[in-house]
């Protein structure tokens, strides 16, 4: 198994999430583009989740035949899981690579799991695919921007975080950033050497794009608070 993806949604009322497998090969062109094309309003989303967990997502109604296997819905017969928080959506399947999350604003988000789960409007990804119709270069660029934001603009806005960095690291924020960016595996380096920063912050981050989806202008971060955590829909 490889390139595992999940789909998830926040249920009405905001106190539960529903999530499950949506197949392997879960990159944007195989899953995200189909969600935007065929399952991009509440009724279509309700129908999709009513099929249960999926080996592959295809044309609506194709689970009953009439389409090629490539374009067919392929339910695996298992119901979706239920959880109380978006934090749980990657908890049931190991080594999940991609998440697609439908929130109460009737918007699909692309969520890449990692030390920080960066929540990005799925339509933004459409505007930033490479020549091979892949999203990975842009995800790397967003990861760099996030690290720059944490150690730059966010640090400057939060005196408590400034003190935390000074108390826990002998390097300056600029030196920490340079060290992380020197690695080809940014978040591996980050987790190995700067896990205290990771643990200081909530592990979900919201990316804020321009209205025309031409770039990410900033991020919304919260200090970690497991006892009174607020879901990102309310950030």
């Amino acid at each position: 198994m490889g390139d595992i993806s999940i789909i998830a949604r926040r249920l009405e009322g905001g106190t539960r999430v529903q999530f499950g497998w949506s197949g392997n090969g879960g990159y944007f062109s195989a899953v995200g583009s189909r969600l935007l094309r065929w399952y991009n309003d509440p009724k279509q989303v309700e129908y999709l989740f009513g099929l249960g967990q999926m080996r592959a997502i295809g044309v609506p109604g194709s689970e009953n035949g009439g389409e090629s296997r490539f374009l067919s819905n392929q339910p695996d017969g298992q119901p979706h899981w239920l959880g109380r928080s978006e934090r749980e959506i990657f908890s049931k399947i190991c080594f999940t690579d991609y998440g697609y999350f439908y929130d109460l604003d009737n918007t699909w988000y692309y969520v890449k799991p990692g030390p920080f789960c960066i929540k990005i409007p799925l339509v933004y990804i459409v505007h930033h695919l490479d020549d091979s119709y892949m999203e990975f270069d842009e995800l790397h660029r967003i990861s760099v921007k996030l690290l720059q934001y944490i150690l730059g603009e966010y640090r400057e806005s939060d005196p408590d975080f400034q003190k935390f960095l000074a108390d826990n690291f002998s390097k300056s924020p600029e030196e920490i950033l340079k060290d992380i960016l020197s690695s080809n595996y940014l978040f591996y380096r980050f987790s190995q050497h700067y896990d205290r920063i990771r643990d200081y912050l909530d592990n979900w981050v919201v990316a804020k794009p321009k209205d025309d989806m031409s770039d990410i202008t900033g991020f919304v971060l919260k200090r970690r608070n497991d006892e009174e955590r607020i879901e990102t829909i309310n950030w």
Side-chain angles (χ1 to χ4, degrees):
M1 299 179 72
D3 291 338
I4 299 168
S5 67
I6 61 100
I7 55 171
R9 64 171 173 165
R10 198 184 308 278
L11 297 176
E12 196 66 36
T15 60
R16 294 184 301 161
V17 293
Q18 187 179 26
F19 59 101
W21 184 37
S22 55
N24 295 348
Y27 35 86
F28 173 82
S29 62
V31 176
S33 63
R34 297 182 177 208
L35 295 173
L36 290 177
R37 182 176 182 181
W38 294 319
Y39 303 100
N40 202 24
D41 69 42
K43 287 185 178 180
Q44 292 168 328
V45 170
E46 187 70 31
Y47 163 76
L48 176 63
F49 277 84
L51 297 175
Q53 298 193 51
M54 306 285 281
R55 296 185 182 92
I57 292 174
V59 178
S62 58
E63 64 277 6
N64 300 314
E67 296 286 348
S68 67
R69 183 174 178 80
F70 177 72
L71 291 176
S72 293
N73 281 324
Q74 299 174 36
D76 76 349
Q78 300 298 315
H80 288 286
W81 296 295
L82 287 174
R84 292 183 175 274
S85 170
E86 60 205 4
R87 279 181 163 180
E88 298 179 45
I89 68 173
F90 298 115
S91 65
K92 294 292 188 179
I93 302 177
C94 295
F95 309 116
T96 305
D97 298 291
Y98 311 92
Y100 298 92
F101 188 81
Y102 192 76
D103 218 330
L104 294 180
D105 57 358
N106 298 332
T107 299
W108 279 108
Y109 291 89
Y110 187 110
V111 184
K112 181 67 173 174
F116 293 111
C117 295
I118 308 173
K119 183 182 178 186
I120 309 161
L122 186 55
V123 70
Y124 176 88
I125 301 297
V126 177
H127 294 265
H128 296 276
L129 300 169
D130 64 20
D131 293 339
S132 299
Y133 205 55
M134 293 297 181
E135 65 268 32
F136 308 119
D137 288 347
E138 181 61 19
L139 293 178
H140 177 80
R141 193 180 75 88
I142 291 173
S143 296
V144 171
K145 291 194 73 166
L146 173 59
L147 292 167
Q148 291 171 332
Y149 182 86
I150 291 171
L151 292 162
E153 187 174 338
Y154 177 76
R155 171 183 58 83
E156 293 169 359
S157 70
D158 186 344
D160 290 338
F161 187 53
Q162 293 178 33
K163 184 177 186 304
F164 167 81
L165 291 175
D167 289 345
N168 285 275
F169 300 97
S170 58
K171 295 178 181 178
S172 69
E174 292 77 16
E175 290 171 327
I176 293 172
L177 180 62
K178 183 178 179 180
D179 182 45
I180 297 170
L181 297 184
S182 69
S183 172
N184 291 326
Y185 304 97
L186 300 180
F187 283 125
Y188 177 79
R189 181 97 178 163
F190 177 81
S191 295
Q192 288 293 305
H193 296 276
Y194 306 104
D195 58 318
R196 283 170 288 180
I197 298 176
R198 177 199 64 200
D199 295 340
Y200 181 93
L201 297 166
D202 192 282
N203 67 325
W204 276 60
V205 172
V206 177
K208 305 296 287 185
K210 292 182 177 179
D211 289 342
D212 64 1
M213 299 293 163
S214 62
D215 201 3
I216 297 296
T217 59
F219 301 89
V220 182
L221 291 81
K222 297 287 186 182
R223 185 169 180 176
R224 190 178 186 101
N225 185 344
D226 292 333
E227 293 183 2
E228 299 181 9
R229 184 178 186 271
I230 301 171
E231 297 286 287
T232 57
I233 190 64
N234 295 314
W235 286 16

